[in-house]
Amino acid sequence: MTENDPHAHDSAEGRQNPGAQPGTEGQAAWSQSPTPGTPPASGEQATQQTPGYPQQGDAYAAPNPWSAQGAQTGPVRYNPYPSAGGATQQQPYATPGTSVYNVPSNAPKKSGSGKLLASVAAIALVIGGVAGGTVGYLTGGSSGPSVNALDQPKPAQQTGNAPAGSVESVAQKLSPSVVELQVAGRTAAGEGSGFVLSTDGYILTNNHVVEVAANGGQIQAVFQDGKKAAAKIVGRDPTTDIAVVKVSGVSGLSPVELGRSDDLRVGQPVVAIGSPFELSGTVTSGIVSSLHRPVQASGDETDQATVMDAIQTDAAINPGNSGGPLANMNGQVIGINSAIYSPNGGQGGPSGQSQGGNVGIGFAIPIDQARRTADDIIKTGHATQTFIGAKVADAPQGGAQLGDITPGSPAEKAGLKSGDVVTKIDDRTIDSADTLIAAIRTRAPDEKVTFTLSGGRTVQVTLGGQPVPAN
């Protein structure tokens, strides 16, 4: 990577990127055979058949009417009680008036009560639940008066505040501060999310949400209460995918509370709020799935690479969530939702420019980095980019290999040479060029860090800073 343009880097051929885009169940078929009736007493209709006494010559070759072949014409018969020898099946649900149980000539005689029960059982097989209930009543007695849920009164209305630390409480706290951003440029239009930083109208979002309006486009902010206001870009940084816009003519704005991202832990619950697919005010929840995930996504129209040192989450993030807050359970913003993983898309564009959807892998910019960049933009009108002044590529044996060193750069001043392979920055392992880029960008200019090179040599580097041109 040229650290004067620290986003461009020479990736090793064949290296895979997480494929970020900024921005059936089977059926179980159950077959249940009804309980057979008692064989009929002597003198009953000869056409009735009794399970366990198949009539010779009966054939049951018709396929299941619910099978892939579809329904069959004519009566279809199954034997719900197959013999151990693989006897053919009979259908206990025959055409009304036709018995499906053959009666052998030597059928045993039953008493009068047996006739009653056999008749009741036969009715149950034909009319299902109604006769089944009749059997229950005749044999088990009454179950008491009927109870109907429709007759019950409504429960008391919910009162009081949402429990502290719940998703509900986070949504109540943050939702008034989250906005939908509708953006239109000369050649494109889209929408995303953002959140209020100040009562006088500063809003933090992603660069890729607003970049189409950078040169004469329009941005409209839509608030939770339905109020709308025009917004203008204050500054943006394509290298970190961060931008600040400002609205005017709106009062009573509620700024968010910013948290910190340097002490996050994997498994920690989080909440995402935004406008996926223009569904404003959508709240989802999940956990922090991973930390310090280097994610490369497309940058602005000059194809300047963007690499985030991302927070990975399984909270549902979709196109339109970009720029919205990722919060902890205290309702403090700890990241900016920016990218989603696309298993079929490979390296893709921002989530707001993609047709992909959530697969349980989303990425957010850590708020510590975003906070520093936003502060620079608001105070100076442009972002300050951290750099070392060297090209970088993946090393064949792992790590990040330095290429050309810019004269007078922090890398040259520290004594780094072309061909050096960086394996650690302080205590963080560097396994690729993207990891090195992401690790440098999370640091502030003038910060001192220790590079560990392959072979064990260490070098202290004072990181540089350079302005990102405002546009």
Side-chain angles (χ1 to χ4, degrees):
M1 131 181 288
T2 301
E3 286 298 330
N4 291 328
D5 176 7
H7 332 294
H9 67 276
D10 304 326
S11 299
E13 184 176 359
R15 181 177 176 276
Q16 295 184 350
N17 181 270
Q21 298 185 10
T24 51
E25 302 164 354
Q27 292 184 343
W30 295 88
S31 174
Q32 182 175 2
S33 300
T35 304
T38 307
S42 175
E44 293 190 24
Q45 292 181 349
T47 56
Q48 184 175 359
Q49 301 176 10
T50 304
Y53 301 93
Q55 200 168 34
Q56 186 174 3
D58 240 350
Y60 309 97
N64 189 331
W66 293 278
S67 69
Q69 289 90 342
Q72 304 294 318
T73 58
V76 182
R77 302 179 180 177
Y78 297 89
N79 181 2
Y81 314 103
S83 66
T88 55
Q89 296 183 346
Q90 300 181 0
Q91 168 60 278
Y93 303 100
T95 304
T98 303
S99 174
V100 296
Y101 296 105
N102 295 331
V103 182
S105 58
N106 57 347
K109 295 183 179 181
K110 298 293 181 180
S111 64
S113 60
K115 290 181 180 180
L116 173 61
L117 290 177
S119 299
V120 173
I123 294 172
L125 289 172
V126 175
I127 56 177
V130 176
T134 304
V135 173
Y137 180 81
L138 292 176
T139 60
S142 174
S143 59
S146 172
V147 177
N148 192 328
L150 299 175
D151 297 332
Q152 305 303 312
K154 290 183 179 179
Q157 191 172 15
Q158 296 186 68
T159 58
N161 296 325
S166 65
V167 174
E168 182 183 359
S169 67
V170 175
Q172 288 180 356
K173 178 179 180 178
L174 264 184
S175 292
S177 304
V178 181
V179 301
E180 178 183 358
L181 296 176
Q182 300 171 346
V183 184
R186 289 177 294 180
T187 60
E191 61 89 33
S193 305
F195 52 90
V196 177
L197 288 177
S198 66
T199 56
D200 57 347
Y202 285 106
I203 294 173
L204 187 58
T205 185
N206 283 138
N207 170 67
H208 75 257
V209 170
V210 300
E211 64 182 347
V212 299
N215 297 302
Q218 296 180 336
I219 303 173
Q220 180 173 249
V222 182
F223 295 86
Q224 183 196 37
D225 59 3
K227 291 181 181 178
K228 298 180 180 180
K232 293 185 178 181
I233 296 175
V234 178
R236 59 192 187 93
D237 181 8
T239 69
T240 57
D241 199 20
I242 293 171
V244 176
V245 302
K246 188 177 184 181
V247 297
S248 57
V250 179
S251 60
L253 299 183
S254 301
V256 299
E257 179 183 356
L258 298 180
R260 57 190 301 164
S261 52
D262 61 350
D263 62 351
L264 294 176
R265 288 171 285 192
V266 173
Q268 178 176 337
V270 289
V271 174
I273 305 179
S275 303
F277 302 109
E278 302 183 29
L279 301 173
S280 61
T282 296
V283 178
T284 58
S285 64
I287 62 168
V288 173
S289 305
S290 184
L291 294 167
H292 303 298
R293 182 75 73 191
V295 176
Q296 183 184 114
S298 64
D300 64 10
E301 294 176 357
T302 65
D303 200 29
Q304 192 172 33
T306 299
V307 180
M308 298 180 288
D309 191 44
I311 303 165
Q312 181 179 321
T313 179
D314 68 350
I317 297 174
N318 288 287
N321 271 111
S322 290
L326 185 70
N328 61 24
M329 302 312 291
N330 292 321
Q332 300 167 330
V333 178
I334 50 89
I336 304 175
N337 300 317
S338 302
I340 56 177
Y341 178 74
S342 177
N344 298 320
Q347 297 185 21
S351 62
Q353 300 173 353
S354 164
Q355 297 303 312
N358 171 63
V359 294
I361 303 176
F363 304 103
I365 300 169
I367 197 61
D368 292 349
Q369 178 181 354
R371 183 175 196 158
R372 184 177 66 251
T373 301
D375 191 52
D376 284 343
I377 290 174
I378 292 172
K379 289 179 178 178
T380 68
H382 61 262
T384 301
Q385 180 186 94
T386 307
F387 77 109
I388 62 170
K391 287 185 177 181
V392 60
D394 292 337
Q397 288 77 36
Q401 184 171 342
L402 302 182
D404 294 340
I405 306 295
T406 303
S409 67
E412 185 188 56
K413 292 177 181 178
L416 293 170
K417 306 294 183 183
S418 177
D420 285 342
V421 175
V422 181
T423 58
K424 292 181 74 173
I425 291 184
D426 291 336
D427 294 330
R428 179 172 178 176
T429 298
I430 303 300
D431 57 3
S432 68
D434 280 354
T435 305
L436 176 61
I437 296 168
I440 290 173
R441 289 184 182 162
T442 60
R443 309 299 182 107
D446 299 324
E447 186 175 341
K448 290 179 171 58
V449 296
T450 300
F451 281 27
T452 300
L453 308 180
S454 60
R457 183 167 69 98
T458 60
V459 177
Q460 190 176 68
V461 181
T462 300
L463 302 176
Q466 60 185 10
V468 177
N471 47 39

